[in-house]
C-alpha cells in the first residue's frame, strides 16, 4: 500500500503534537502530503441549540492558531495543507478522510477538546473502529 495522503487531526494537545511529529517523519519517509484538520467540536459548545457568532468566531480563531503552529512545525520540502471544520470530531474526521481519499490517519490518543480536561479518547477509539484506511494512534 502506498501512502501519499496523511490526515492529521489536531487540537493543540500534547498528544496531538506528538502525532504531528510522527506524521512528519512518515511523510518524509513516504514522500506523502500532510493534511492537518482542526475540528471545532460543536457538541461541547452546544449547550443551547443556538451558538452565538462570537463563540463560533473564537473557536475558529483558536483553530487557526493551532493550524498555523503545526504548519510551522513541518520542514521545507514536505507538502502540507490545513483545513478547519465544525461538527462532531469523530464524524468529521472520518468523512474528511473518505471524501479526500486519505491513505492514513495519524492522531493522538487523547485530546483537550474545547474544555480542558475533557477526554477525547473515545474519538480515537471510534476512528480506529470505523476508518476505511489505516489509523496510527500516537500516545
Amino acid at each position: 500500500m502506498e501512502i501519499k495522503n496523511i490526515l492529521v487531526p489536531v487540537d493543540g494537545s500534547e498528544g496531538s503534537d506528538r502525532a504531528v511529529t510522527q506524521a512528519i517523519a512518515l511523510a518524509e519517509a513516504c514522500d506523502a502530503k500532510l493534511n492537518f484538520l482542526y475540528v471545532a467540536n460543536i457538541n461541547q459548545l452546544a449547550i443551547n441549540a443556538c451558538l452565538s457568532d462570537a463563540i463560533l468566531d473564537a473557536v475558529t480563531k483558536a483553530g487557526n492558531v493551532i493550524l498555523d503552529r503545526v504548519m510551522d512545525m513541518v520542514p521545507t520540502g514536505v507538502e502540507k495543507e490545513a483545513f478547519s471544520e465544525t461538527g462532531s470530531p469523530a464524524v468529521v474526521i472520518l468523512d474528511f478522510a473518505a471524501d479526500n481519499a486519505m491513505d492514513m490517519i495519524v492522531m493522538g490518543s487523547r485530546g483537550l477538546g474545547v474544555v480542558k480536561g475533557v477526554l477525547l479518547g473515545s474519538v480515537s477509539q471510534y476512528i480506529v473502529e470505523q476508518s476505511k484506511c489505516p489509523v496510527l494512534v500516537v500516545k
Side-chain angles (χ1 to χ4, degrees):
M1 182 187 131
E2 196 173 34
I3 297 172
K4 287 297 168 196
N5 271 304
I6 301 172
L7 176 59
V8 189
V10 294
D11 67 359
S13 67
E14 280 182 39
S16 172
D17 287 352
R18 284 192 294 273
V20 168
T21 302
Q22 190 68 50
I24 290 169
L26 271 169
E28 289 177 319
C30 301
D31 194 27
K33 177 183 177 187
L34 293 172
N35 300 274
F36 296 107
L37 175 63
Y38 172 81
V39 182
N41 186 351
I42 58 167
N43 291 344
Q44 291 177 332
L45 295 174
I47 295 161
N48 298 333
C50 56
L51 295 174
S52 76
D53 289 342
I55 290 173
L56 284 174
D57 201 38
V59 171
T60 302
K61 281 194 175 97
N64 290 339
V65 168
I66 291 166
L67 286 168
D68 288 346
R69 188 171 60 78
V70 298
M71 292 286 278
D72 287 344
M73 292 169 68
V74 180
T76 308
V78 175
E79 193 180 349
K80 61 190 177 186
E81 196 168 351
F83 302 90
S84 186
E85 301 279 343
T86 304
S88 173
V91 173
V92 172
I93 292 165
L94 286 172
D95 286 349
F96 188 94
D99 293 346
N100 295 281
M102 293 295 135
D103 300 311
M104 175 176 248
I105 300 171
V106 178
M107 64 188 300
S109 59
R110 296 199 178 273
L112 294 177
V114 175
V115 181
K116 196 169 186 158
V118 174
L119 298 179
L120 293 180
S122 59
V123 172
S124 56
Q125 177 78 33
Y126 184 81
I127 300 293
V128 166
E129 291 171 359
Q130 301 296 322
S131 177
K132 302 284 189 253
C133 67
V135 180
L136 174 61
V137 178
V138 180
K139 290 189 115 187

